[in-house]
Amino acid sequence: TIAAVFCGLWSRYHRTAFLETKDEHQTAVASLADFATDMFWETDTHGFVIGAGGRLMEGLVSHPRELIGQHYLSIVHLEEREMKRMQAALNAQEPYSDIQSIFRDRDDRIFYISLSATPTFDKDGLITGYLGVGTNVTDRVISARKLKHMAEHDMLTGLANRYRFSDQIKDDLRTADTTGCLSLLALDLDGFKAINDELGHQAGDALLNLVGKRLRSLVRSNDWAARMGGDEFVVVSRGVKNPMEACLLAARLSAKLSQPYRIGGALVEVTASIGIACAPMHASDADDVMKCADLAMYQAKADGRNCYRLFEPSTQTDTLSP
């Protein structure tokens, strides 16, 4: 980035030259506004701000002079990973670049600022502080998050998609032993193909969207749901005390999903067959837990549909991974 290139040039400059007078030094700091129209700052060796400015800085605070005397790390707001990157650079007295920080303006609007800075040195090569610039990357961050959301969520229902499910379930299984049982509920709508054939795919899509909304309304804040494709859904419930608690959730899902749906001017009825598997009780591998839930769901289908079944380890365990 321009900021990173500038910091590199500024660092080499300070290692080979020394600003002889205070007035010259202040002039050099002020000239940073020509390089960073968003914001710039300077700190002393202890991290306290001794200079600040820039167009965005003036929008974030009433007067940049208000920041003088404040510690730099009390002004920037960094996530843990970004804080570790910055601390590592500060401890090594090295430049850093493109560290993302969150700022809020006086109207409480959020800005994402990319921070880059380099150490300053005196004529003896001793560090005197840091000189940095900030670039407004709010549009870039928001665009990246939108793209990530689109890649991980089903466009029709807004639920997590199969890709997101495969990634998230692995993380959930890693903590299943310490947070309690993890239950996975595999749902398949009964008679969905007939609705598609009779009312058309547009009505079918509307029905899937409404099913997704009902699933979101039923899962707890710590749980989540995904659409695996077609009329297949999965609900993941974290921190379940025992399989009975998972069965109670399945019963609520079954009752809610079986209520009529209004699509256009018609009422449409559909039910769901639900299979339940728990980790680490039934399996600890992501694929195996999903297989267990699917087997239980097929059993629910075989038992007349519109019901739920808990996986029974005594049946078809030879299909699981070793």
Side-chain angles (χ1 to χ4, degrees), residues 109-260:
R109 293 178 302 177
I110 295 178
F111 288 82
Y112 297 93
I113 310 299
S114 174
L115 307 175
S116 300
T118 189
T120 56
F121 300 89
D122 62 18
K123 61 182 179 180
D124 298 319
L126 299 176
I127 189 170
T128 59
Y130 264 81
L131 197 62
V133 293
T135 303
N136 187 356
V137 294
T138 303
D139 291 342
R140 185 187 78 185
V141 171
I142 292 176
S143 295
R145 289 185 176 182
K146 286 181 178 179
L147 289 174
K148 185 175 186 294
H149 185 275
M150 291 174 62
E152 296 181 343
H153 290 78
D154 174 53
M155 297 297 292
L156 183 60
T157 64
L159 300 176
N161 59 17
R162 181 181 289 272
Y163 168 79
R164 177 58 179 165
F165 168 81
S166 299
D167 188 51
Q168 183 63 47
I169 192 65
K170 294 175 182 177
D171 290 338
D172 288 347
L173 286 171
R174 292 190 190 101
T175 59
D177 288 323
T178 57
T179 61
C181 180
L182 178 77
S183 67
L184 193 153
L185 286 68
L187 296 83
D188 187 88
L189 300 182
D190 303 321
F192 177 75
K193 184 178 182 301
I195 294 174
N196 251 349
D197 293 342
E198 294 176 10
L199 302 179
H201 290 286
Q202 186 173 2
D205 287 347
L207 175 59
L208 292 173
N209 179 269
L210 293 174
V211 168
K213 289 181 178 179
R214 291 191 184 183
L215 289 178
R216 282 197 299 272
S217 70
L218 284 172
V219 297
R220 303 174 305 178
S221 59
N222 195 41
D223 303 336
W224 55 283
R227 182 189 176 206
M228 304 298 284
D231 61 333
E232 299 177 5
F233 297 84
V234 171
V235 173
V236 179
S237 185
R238 304 181 179 109
V240 178
K241 297 178 182 177
N242 51 60
M244 183 57 66
E245 187 175 333
C247 289
L248 292 175
L249 173 58
R252 291 196 299 271
L253 289 173
S254 180
K256 184 71 173 180
L257 295 179
S258 64
Q259 296 177 9

Side-chain angles (χ1 to χ4, degrees), residues 263-286:
I263 300 176
L267 285 178
V268 177
E269 294 186 1
V270 68
T271 59
S273 296
I274 305 174
I276 308 166
C278 298
M281 178 181 299
H282 297 140
S284 55
D285 176 80

